[in-house]
Amino acid sequence: MQKNNQIAAFILGGFLCLGLILLGNTVGQSLLKMKSMERTVTVKGLAEQEVKANIAIWPIRFTEVDNNLNTLYQTVQEKTDKVVLFLTEQGFKADEISTSLPSIEDRQAQGYVDPNVKYRYAAKVTISLYTKQVDLLLNSRTKLIELAKDGIAISDQDYNSRTEFLFTELNSVKPDMVQAATQNARKVADKFAKDSNSTLGKIKNASQGQFSITDRDSNTPFIKRVRIVSTLTYYLSD
């Protein structure tokens, strides 16, 4: 009876040892697999696209001077009406045009009168055009000579008089650009994997990145460059 117990204990011990060996082998393989999964490469993918602005804001400014305040107001109103008429004749709608009260400066208000200043009052006038008709605006700006013939000198040299062009339809190009950036990142990752004698695996994580919209150049601010840089991390294996 004792001998049988010893045999049973020996067999049980054998099974336990075999189980531990198999368990150790399985754990070892899992650890090796987990270790290989830790090998990654992080790359950046770039996508750029040129688009045309879909909104333009045109501040049309001129200055009028006079020594008689009432006459100044009358002249300002007449010239403002001419500017508005010019814009409507070009094809802009009334709801695209807005006018504001003129800014009046009394050059004698400070008590000191510059002997070189001929007129006491100066009125600065701004008529704003907010439109989606960008091409029409670009064409209309070339016809400002018509206003000059009416004695309206439009100021466009200072910063506040510059036409502003906007691109607000980012959602229309976003999907294709994100795809292009991802494909670009994949090419970079593939190259890295080949150079390191590895195989590129699945994406571990990805960051879309921020879109930026800038002027293509200073001469064509109505052409915008949309840019995105995405960051992706891929698994590597042998």
Side-chain angles (χ1 to χ4, degrees):
M1 185 69 179
Q2 184 177 3
K3 184 177 181 180
N4 291 335
N5 290 337
Q6 289 178 344
I7 295 174
F10 178 78
I11 295 174
L12 179 60
F15 279 121
L16 287 174
C17 290
L18 180 61
L20 289 174
I21 292 172
L22 292 174
L23 178 62
N25 185 51
T26 301
V27 172
Q29 290 180 348
S30 297
L31 289 175
L32 288 174
K33 186 176 181 180
M34 290 177 63
K35 188 67 177 179
S36 66
M37 292 293 283
E38 290 178 3
R39 294 179 56 203
T40 60
V41 58
T42 299
V43 293
K44 293 184 181 297
L46 170 66
E48 290 184 324
Q49 183 174 339
E50 288 187 359
V51 297
K52 194 166 186 177
N54 63 299
I55 290 178
I57 305 171
W58 184 14
I60 305 173
R61 291 186 168 90
F62 66 89
T63 301
E64 190 65 28
V65 294
D66 205 300
N67 283 317
N68 185 290
L69 193 56
N70 290 330
T71 304
L72 178 63
Y73 273 112
Q74 182 178 352
T75 305
V76 164
Q77 187 60 57
E78 291 174 354
K79 292 190 174 182
T80 298
D81 292 341
K82 288 181 180 180
V83 173
V84 173
L85 178 61
F86 166 79
L87 293 174
T88 54
E89 288 178 342
Q90 300 306 309
F92 296 106
K93 301 176 183 178
D95 60 1
E96 295 177 304
I97 307 167
S98 61
T99 60
S100 58
L101 292 175
S103 174
I104 306 295
E105 177 187 3
D106 184 352
R107 296 171 176 176
Q108 296 181 8
Q110 303 301 323
Y112 171 75
V113 181
D114 188 339
N116 296 317
V117 175
K118 184 178 178 180
Y119 297 100
R120 175 176 178 177
Y121 300 106
K124 295 181 179 181
V125 184
T126 302
I127 297 96
S128 297
L129 178 69
Y130 183 96
T131 182
K132 294 182 179 180
Q133 303 182 81
V134 177
D135 289 333
L136 182 59
L137 182 146
L138 293 172
N139 183 59
S140 299
R141 290 200 306 176
T142 65
K143 301 178 180 179
L144 288 178
I145 188 66
E146 297 180 18
L147 292 175
K149 293 177 181 179
D150 288 329
I152 306 173
I154 302 299
S155 172
D156 60 356
Q157 298 302 316
D158 63 282
Y159 179 82
N160 292 328
S161 298
R162 295 197 313 173
T163 304
E164 184 178 3
F165 295 95
L166 307 174
F167 178 69
T168 62
E169 298 178 346
L170 182 60
N171 287 337
S172 66
V173 300
K174 183 182 291 185
D176 289 341
M177 291 194 66
V178 170
Q179 181 180 359
T182 303
Q183 291 173 345
N184 179 258
R186 179 84 187 188
K187 289 181 180 179
V188 176
D190 273 330
K191 181 66 167 56
F192 180 89
K194 290 178 181 179
D195 291 344
S196 60
N197 296 319
S198 302
T199 301
L200 195 64
K202 296 181 179 180
I203 295 176
K204 179 181 180 182
N205 52 57
S207 173
Q208 173 183 290
Q210 295 293 324
F211 279 88
S212 64
I213 303 175
T214 58
D215 296 345
R216 183 179 66 180
D217 55 68
S218 58
N219 295 320
T220 56
F222 52 90
I223 301 296
K224 302 295 182 180
R225 177 176 286 114
V226 184
R227 188 173 188 268
I228 182 177
V229 178
S230 297
T231 303
L232 295 94
T233 300
Y234 292 88
Y235 287 111
L236 292 174
S237 59
D238 295 331

